[in-house]
Amino acid sequence: SYSYVQNHAYYVNKAVELNIAGKMTKMVQMRNPWGKHDWKGKFSDNPSNTAHKADYDNLKAALGADYKTEGGKFWMAYSDWV
């Protein structure tokens, strides 16, 4: 489970296109107003799959100082969001 709660309101905080490990990737920063049940899929800061650890590290490097996940915020690929 990726801990994305169905029938629950999230909002998009940011939408960006980043060069992540040499590939242009559309990303969205989401926020869960409840502040729990963060995304655990690809690019998660707490991935359920250890294979996603490299994705997280690459995203963090691409975002630099803009990488923030506090207060129920999390990043996910646009393709996972739509």
Side-chain angles (χ1 to χ4, degrees), residues 3 5 8-11 30-38 71-74:
S3 293
V5 181
H8 174 63
Y10 290 83
Y11 73 81
M30 306 292 290
R31 183 170 187 274
N32 177 351
W34 290 352
K36 56 185 175 180
H37 302 291
D38 283 355
K73 292 179 186 174
F74 58 95

Side-chain angles (χ1 to χ4, degrees), residues 47-62:
S48 58
N49 180 341
T50 55
H52 294 311
K53 174 80 169 92
D55 296 318
Y56 162 74
D57 291 340
N58 290 332
L59 171 65
K60 192 172 178 181

Side-chain angles (χ1 to χ4, degrees), residues 31-46:
R31 183 170 187 274
N32 177 351
W34 290 352
K36 56 185 175 180
H37 302 291
D38 283 355
W39 175 249
K40 290 185 175 68
K42 190 172 182 176
F43 301 111
S44 169
D45 62 343
N46 186 20

